[in-house]
Each structure stands twice: as structure tokens, then as C-alpha cells.
Amino acid sequence: MDKISVIVPCYNEEEMIPIFYKEISKVIKKMKEVEFELLFVNDGSTDDSFKEMKQLSLDDKKVKYLSFSRNFGKEAAMLAGLEYASGDYIAIMDVDLQDPPKMLETMYKELKSDSNLDCVALKTNSHDDYGFIRKFFTNLFYKIISKMSKTEMVPGARDFRLMSRQMVNAIVSMGEYNRYSKGLFSFVGFNTKWLTYKIPERKAGKTTWNFFKLFVYAIDGILAFTTTPLIISALIGIIFCFISVVAIIFIVVRTLIFGDRVAGWPSIVCIMFFLSGIQLFCTGISGAYLSKTYTEVKKRPIYIIKEKSNDLSNSSF
Ligand code: UDP
Ligand code: MG
């Protein structure tokens, strides 16, 4: 009998946890041919999320929990779940029912029907709920990263996916601190089948992602999966060197022929501003990579567990 581990990262989701549990229980009842493990990861919630999970785990021995010492972010919660999950197949699912549990059955069937497949993942093709600005930046991000990075990023990809044990082991073996899952999932390779669906509205609670956080997350993705910006900044440097050499020759020749007329300081100031802007921008790019290297080198733990359910097998990593 196959075992599926469902990892559910939760951050301040006291309202959603019981609703989610009810929904997933229906699916578990239906899929009699599989054993289930529900692994809730409490990512330092400040509400009663942890109490809810603990209560569920007392009533239902399929339910297990991990609780962090503080909020480490969804990426860390997903990693902890992947490290502790014991199933043959592992799914990651949001607690807000935007990743509908009933899709799990279809995903499992798809995965089973083709022995070549290692993963069935979901993506959305409609961003109707996004405003104009968010849509614009989302498209821009995927355009930039697909041009710059060798790792393929699928537009509209969710974190909702069902993976084989082998693929999960590969993901967990990537011990980097700055984790950008969408990239990691793709980097490890294996065969993924994409199913398309429309994301339903969040059932309760509210999203913790605002525009600024998403923007920073997008930059993280670019920094983690391509170093092309460094090359671009070096190229800009070379181009401007070339332009300045031509300009110097032009000025020297002109002075020799027509004499020196002191004029045109506004244009010089404009050029200075422009060039120092570009210099700062390029230094910023190098700085961004340096800071990522710094956090990587420190080798701090990606998450710290304060409490976990007793029956949870030790992380094998
Ligand atoms: N989440 C988390 N840690 C965080 C933020 C979010 O574990 O710091 C969880 C959250 O509880 C939910 C999932 O990640 O289960 C997705 O979060 P959210 O619905 O806020 O994101 P969105 O669907 O808007 O992308
Ligand atoms: Mg959500």
C-alpha cells in the first residue's frame, strides 16, 4: 500500500486548519487504496494554529505536526516538511484551500498511470484576481528569468505538487539557505506533468504576501538561479568605457581645432548623474550576490524546531 504524506505549512491559520482538515478528510476517505500522513508545519504562528494542530493530532493519528521557534517563512516550512515526511509520495499543499485537496486524487492517478513520471504539479493560467500592476510585474519576472536562467520557471506554477520519494530526496539534498522552491523543483530535473486549474479564492484568513514581499521574492529567485545580472553590469561598464574613450578623443580634437569654449556644464552634470546612477546600480547587483553568498557561508539553520509530535520519525537528513 502506498503512503502519501501531505505537507501543510501554516502561519496564523487557526481559522483555516479545521476547515482544511474537514476537506482533506473527505479525500482521504475516498482514496482507500492509499495510506495518509498529514504533516502540519507551524511556522511560528502567533495565534492558536498550533493548538488546533495538536488537538487534531490527538484525535487522529494520521495527523502530525512540527512547530518552529519563530516564523521562518514558507520555504523553510516546506523544507522541514519534506525532511520529516515518511511517505512514498509527498504532496505540498496550502492550508487556505487555494490548492483544492480533491485534486490530489487526480494527481495520484496521473502519477501512477505513467511509471516515467516523478511529479504531478499544478499551475494556473488565469490571474484574473491580480491587479494590472501585479499582472505586469508577474509577466515581466517570468520573461526576465526565462531569458537569464538555464533553470526553467513555469509561469503560474503553484507549490501544490505530488512528488515521488526519489525527487524529494533530491530536493532535500540541496542544502542551500536561500531557497527558491520553484527553481529547486525544476533544477533537480525528473519528469513533471503539469495540470492546469483556476485558483479558487482563499476560504478564510488573509494572505501574508503583499506586493513588496512578492517583489523581493522575485529578486531572490533571480539571484538564486542566474548570475546573468553580473555579466550585464560588466557589459554596461565596458560599453560606457568605450563611449567615454570616443568622447575624450572627440573633445581633445575639438579643443585643438576650435579652442576651449567653457560651456555646457548642465549636460556634464546630467551625464555625471546618469553614470553614477549606473555605477551604483551595478555595485548594487554585485552587493546583492555578495550578501546571498554571505548568508550561505554562515550556514545558519534554515529552521529551528521547538516542538514536534512524538510519533514523527526523525528527519533522515
Ligand atoms: N505560510 C507559511 N509561512 C509564512 C507565510 C505563509 O507557512 O511565513 C503558509 C500559509 O499559512 C499558507 C501558505 O503558506 O498555508 C500560502 O500562504 P498564502 O495563502 O498567504 O499565500 P498566497 O496563496 O497568497 O500565495
Ligand atoms: Mg493562499
Side-chain angles (χ1 to χ4, degrees), residues 56-184:
L56 286 178
S57 82
L58 290 177
D59 303 338
D60 180 348
K61 66 176 186 354
K62 284 193 297 297
V63 176
K64 291 165 190 176
Y65 59 82
L66 282 170
S67 183
F68 289 175
S69 58
R70 66 167 168 86
N71 179 247
F72 280 89
K74 188 185 174 190
E75 289 287 346
M78 288 196 286
L79 175 69
L82 293 176
E83 286 188 341
Y84 279 88
S86 60
D88 309 298
Y89 295 95
I90 290 128
I92 301 175
M93 221 184 262
D94 285 2
V95 73
D96 57 9
L97 295 180
Q98 285 189 301
D99 300 332
K102 58 176 186 297
M103 294 290 289
L104 205 55
E105 202 180 354
T106 326
M107 291 159 88
Y108 178 69
K109 272 193 191 135
E110 289 280 350
L111 202 52
K112 276 301 207 187
S113 69
D114 184 349
S115 58
N116 250 332
L117 278 183
D118 306 283
C119 174
V120 175
L122 288 194
K123 64 176 179 177
T124 174
N125 52 4
S126 72
H127 286 306
D128 299 341
D129 52 330
Y130 287 13
F132 171 75
I133 295 178
R134 189 166 163 190
K135 240 189 228 169
F136 173 78
F137 277 98
T138 306
N139 289 335
L140 185 68
F141 167 72
Y142 282 112
K143 264 201 196 112
I144 290 177
I145 197 132
S146 67
K147 286 247 157 60
M148 284 185 178
S149 175
K150 285 197 198 92
T151 309
E152 188 202 6
M153 309 274 171
V154 178
R158 305 275 302 166
D159 290 326
F160 187 19
R161 44 178 69 229
L162 184 66
M163 292 174 279
S164 69
R165 164 62 41 197
Q166 199 189 9
M167 182 168 173
V168 169
N169 288 350
I171 290 162
V172 169
S173 74
M174 316 231 318
E176 56 203 84
Y177 183 85
N178 299 293
R179 300 188 77 80
Y180 185 75
S181 297
K182 286 189 202 335
L184 297 178

Side-chain angles (χ1 to χ4, degrees), residues 239-251:
I239 290 169
F240 276 91
C241 276
F242 180 74
I243 292 175
S244 67
V245 169
V246 173
I248 288 169
I249 294 172
F250 172 75
I251 289 165

Side-chain angles (χ1 to χ4, degrees), residues 5 26 28 35 64 102 108 143 156 171 184 197 218 279 282 284 295:
S5 297
K26 284 185 209 158
I28 294 177
E35 192 187 333
K64 291 165 190 176
K102 58 176 186 297
Y108 178 69
K143 264 201 196 112
I171 290 162
L184 297 178
Y197 83 125
Q279 275 175 5
C282 294
T295 51

Side-chain angles (χ1 to χ4, degrees), residues 225-244:
F225 280 93
T226 168
T227 48
T228 309
L230 290 174
I231 296 164
I232 293 176
S233 68
L235 275 180
I236 293 176
I238 293 170
I239 290 169
F240 276 91
C241 276
F242 180 74
I243 292 175
S244 67

